[in-house]
Amino acid sequence: MLEFRILGPLEVVEHDRLLVLGGPKQRALLVILLLHRGEVVSTDRLGDELWGERPPASAAKTVQVYMSNLRKALGDGVLVTRGHGYLLQTARGQVDVDRFEVLVDAGRTALGEGDARGASERLREALALWRGPPLADFAYEPFAQAEAARLEEERLAALEDRIDADLALGRHAALVGELESLVRGHPLRERLQGQLMLALYRSGRQADALERYQEARRRLTDELGIEPGPELQELERAILNQDPELGGRSRRLPRPPARRRGALLLALGGLILAAAAVAAVLSLGGGTSSGPVLAAVDRVGMIDPRTGAVLASVSVAGAPARLATDGRELWVGGDTSQTLQRIDPGSPGTVVAVNGFPSALAMGVGSLWMVDALRGTLVKVNPAYGTVVARTSLTGAAREVAISDRAAFDPWSVAAGAGGVWVSDGSSRVYRIDPQSARVTGGLNLGTAIDGLAAAGNAVWAISGNAATVLRLDPGTGRVTASISIVSRPGLESPYPIAIAAGAGFVWVLNANSGTVTKIDPIARGIVTTIPIGVDRGPLRLAAGAGAAWVANGDGTLSRIDASSDAVTYFPIAHGLTDVAVAGGYVWVTAGPGPGPRAGAGAPVSGPAVTSVRALPVSFCAPVLSQAGQRPRYLIASDMPLQGTGSELPLEMTDAIRFILQRDHFRAGRFTLGYQACDDSLVSPRGPPNEVRCAANARAFADDPSVIAVIGPFFSDCAAIEIPIANRATHGPLAMIAPAATAVGLTHAGPGASSGEPGRYYPTGQRNFARVIPPDNVQGAADAMLAQTLGANRLFVLDDGTLYGSGVAASFHSAATRLGLHVVGASHWQDPSRSYRSLVGRVQRSGATGVFLGGYLEDGSALFKALRAGLPTEVRMLTPDGFNGSGLVAELGSSAEGMTMSLPGKRLSALPPAGRKFVSEFGASLIAPAQTDTPYAAQATQLMLDAIARSDGTRASVTHELLTAKVSNGILGNFAITPNGDTTADAITIYQVRNGTLRLLKIISPPPALTAP
């Protein structure tokens, strides 16, 4: 009987004799049939797999010749012709993979029944079938990659099971060396790490076992940004406690579910097989949509379009963001590495250094195209060879609108198709590029700013955000053949198109401001419907295919809009998503930073609950949420910037507000409540400033009698606009509570406040605003106390001239003077593009032993570096929370060493029991740990609910209860709200950069005498 072997190089054996199988293509043909044994594979499909997109004219004839040769080698009845295809017939046990899987199943059954010896024997027998890497002689063939990756995963899982069995048999010491070698090769496999810890512990090496845990934790946090799983953490605790159970039967750490050969191999052709090929960087998901699995950023994920399951994720260095595909190949741009990478055979795949920022990508007309908006150029890449073949300058391109923040609006776009390559740069001009020469052959002035392009069939589609319009262009004449208005009258609350895609039979447009998708019939050239996604999800990017439109959301969910029914389903995927593409019948996403999907994010959208309240407009607010079957009497609105740069924290705060309301069943005492998450950001770089949005929101809140309270705003400048509008609201001042607005003048006068503050915010003479975060004068005082502690008695105070920077600097200056410290100088700093030599000289001549920089990291990094370079190393550098950010150390480099940074409030671990409980319960609904500021949004919500519960249901009563509130055992501990709206919870957390890492230094609570006006 024939024996087919693919657990190593391809072999076919008959009576212990190796058969001669012919040349590489003929052997490859046999492998393809083996991978699909028992299935009919068409001649066309075989040709595609063997030669890709460019099969020779004689492909069909050549396949017939190969088949004839293989039939002679294998004998009659093995290869059968069926219709226009071929079938490889094998009996059970003829293929080594089948025997391997049978033995592994038997071993796992024995292990589950407590027969460790039988399990070890069966699993060893299974592993002995392996002769090397699976399909080793086809390692670079796309058709073999997915199966090779699956088999390697199966081998490792079987090996882990065999080690479990050997641990149960007491073979601890003998396993240590083998496990150490395995862990070196697979440092991110927590099960292997746990087995090595257990083997070391049982061998009398407790200290080594604990050190192994710390090393595993370092690798996980450094490379993936995650903590070890609960099983590994539990094992460490058991070792620390010398748990007697560790001496008995081996703990079996959970193993990933086995992945069987199936539709994945058939459906995708070269693309998906290639992606799965990256064995060194690919991890397989569990096949369900019950929860997200892309727990780390910098990954490209492959999603099942039916279930939303993450089937695979590929680690890609360099901040992957934009995706491009022609339906078979998939490319991703690395923002920080300035590379393009193909998800392709090899490890980690073809990488092209483009030396430019990949603002936008497209693949089509035979090439890969990249727009570098920072340089105003178009780059043409040959995808077959992975080389840059042309760079084209887009003369007159609007470089001033180029951005590199993937959460912000980017008007640059490139589309390939309809006989050309098309580029928009945010102006009214669309460039036409010749696909062969990559030269600009024409420009179309469309009379309105263009923010996105898509090419499909014989048409080019363009969107204009300002005009809220979709344009159809004839690629031959350049004429506009259809103009489709998304709204009849564009305005502040109207949809603002930011992305367009063609596929699944329609043209789809993603609208910011309103969080909707517009569906357009490309034949009738009219709008079919508008589908809400929700502004609270932070929708960013759009793709179409596989029977649906797909929206990548900043909150980490992927929205699927069924092309037939328009039904929307949300799948939780990652912390945040930055792009989406459809290729080979599967959906691909790039994962970036973000709050992560909320609990229940995978549930389909349902209609709004029956409500007696007057809902706020869905143009800037999410639909009303309330308890099922319960009619809300009042509305609570939150007001946060949910789109664009820096939206990750406000999105997470919005989730925390929702969490508290759900926990309390949307009730405040006897009052039933509904909740709407509202957005106070605008995405258009050409539209009105966000202040206009803040004012419009505040008027909507004040004029809606259903709104009983507002949680927000997030920023102080927005609060300064909204407070007086809410203060003059009908039926009494509308209560507002902010979790993050820290400007001094919002609540009281004194250092850091401007002339006329806070009186101008309260025209009725009654207060209606409170906050749960310490204001900037408390932070400035804490920094002054820190300077005194550090021995910095001669201080130079700098600020960036912003409301925040000058306010916190003035507070620091005042507190330092009260402490008896000598302020030897003060100054504003200027545009970061200018030289700071003169300013650094002034600081140096002053003899300062400490420098305080009131402002933001993005504007102050150049000055900070200049000061570090020009001042003695012992000079202390102190900064407030404006310098906070994940890129602090990376931005400042070695100059950050020793600097301090203050943050208002407490870190998560310093919260009281109620706060830690909230963090634990709320964190269970997230992928990543909650951010430090999130508990403040939860406390603000609870405080407002308590005020409503104590009130008589009027706005005036709620405001009174809020401003006389006292909290015991709350999320933030014990504190009160003062009559002016400040909190008595005045803790400021101080961090210091040590050895390149931001570490906790101390927590300071300034005395009232130091912060008094």
Side-chain angles (χ1 to χ4, degrees), residues 328-478:
R328 290 184 59 86
E329 290 188 26
L330 182 75
W331 288 78
V332 61
D335 284 359
T336 58
S337 61
Q338 297 197 349
T339 59
L340 302 177
Q341 179 168 330
R342 177 165 50 198
I343 309 303
D344 200 18
S347 177
T350 303
V351 178
V352 182
V354 289
N355 299 318
F357 183 76
S359 305
L361 302 179
M363 195 169 186
V365 291
S367 298
L368 175 65
W369 305 88
M370 183 197 89
V371 167
D372 177 1
L374 300 180
R375 295 170 177 82
T377 59
L378 176 70
V379 180
K380 178 182 178 182
V381 174
N382 184 321
Y385 294 95
T387 56
V388 174
V389 295
R391 293 180 188 271
T392 302
S393 176
L394 303 176
T395 305
R399 294 177 179 82
E400 68 273 7
V401 301
I403 54 95
S404 58
D405 185 337
R406 290 310 187 184
F409 171 68
D410 184 357
W412 287 80
S413 179
V414 58
V421 179
W422 315 83
V423 179
S424 67
D425 61 10
S427 70
S428 61
R429 185 179 186 185
V430 173
Y431 297 86
R432 179 169 186 161
I433 313 296
D434 177 71
Q436 300 302 317
S437 66
R439 294 177 179 172
V440 178
T441 59
L444 310 176
N445 192 330
L446 302 184
T448 184
I450 300 302
D451 299 310
L453 297 169
N458 60 350
V460 178
W461 298 85
I463 52 172
S464 173
N466 274 356
T469 299
V470 181
L471 303 174
R472 183 190 185 277
L473 310 180
D474 184 314
T477 64

Side-chain angles (χ1 to χ4, degrees), residues 655-865:
D655 285 344
I657 295 167
R658 183 185 297 107
F659 178 87
I660 295 297
L661 285 162
Q662 289 173 333
R663 189 192 66 184
D664 289 3
H665 307 291
F666 289 89
R667 297 190 69 92
R670 66 187 186 278
F671 302 112
T672 56
L673 301 171
Y675 168 59
Q676 286 188 268
C678 299
D679 179 29
D680 61 24
S681 60
L682 288 171
V683 299
S684 170
R686 297 175 295 271
N690 279 18
E691 288 79 358
V692 178
R693 168 87 283 164
C694 295
N697 285 15
R699 285 192 292 270
F701 302 149
D703 294 343
D704 188 335
S706 297
V707 177
I708 193 69
V710 175
I711 300 171
F714 184 85
F715 289 116
S716 294
D717 53 359
C718 193
I721 294 168
E722 293 195 10
I723 293 171
I725 297 174
N727 190 257
R728 293 190 298 265
T730 308
H731 309 303
L734 176 61
M736 306 178 72
I737 187 166
T742 58
V744 175
L746 296 177
T747 55
H748 62 269
S754 301
S755 176
E757 291 183 328
R760 63 171 177 259
Y761 302 128
Y762 306 99
T764 66
Q766 294 178 272
R767 295 294 181 103
N768 63 304
F769 173 79
R771 53 184 162 202
V772 292
I773 194 80
D776 291 337
N777 65 310
V778 177
Q779 186 179 184
D783 279 316
M785 293 174 66
L786 173 65
Q788 185 180 50
T789 302
L790 296 176
N793 297 319
R794 294 176 58 83
L795 300 167
F796 205 104
V797 182
L798 297 167
D799 72 80
D800 62 358
T802 64
L803 172 67
Y804 161 76
S806 58
V808 72
S811 299
F812 175 86
H813 190 297
S814 173
T817 302
R818 293 183 183 187
L819 288 170
L821 305 179
H822 184 32
V823 177
V824 296
S827 179
H828 302 300
W829 74 73
Q830 301 168 346
D831 189 324
S833 64
R834 299 179 61 178
S835 171
Y836 291 118
R837 182 179 303 175
S838 175
L839 181 56
V840 172
R842 282 183 57 198
V843 178
Q844 189 176 39
R845 290 189 298 272
S846 73
T849 56
V851 179
F852 180 82
L853 290 88
Y856 296 98
L857 173 64
E858 55 264 39
D859 296 326
S861 61
L863 173 60
F864 189 100
K865 294 175 185 177

Side-chain angles (χ1 to χ4, degrees), residues 534-536 616-618 620-625 658 675-679:
V535 292
D536 55 330
L616 293 161
V618 294
F620 63 92
C621 295
V624 176
L625 290 179
R658 183 185 297 107
Y675 168 59
Q676 286 188 268
C678 299
D679 179 29

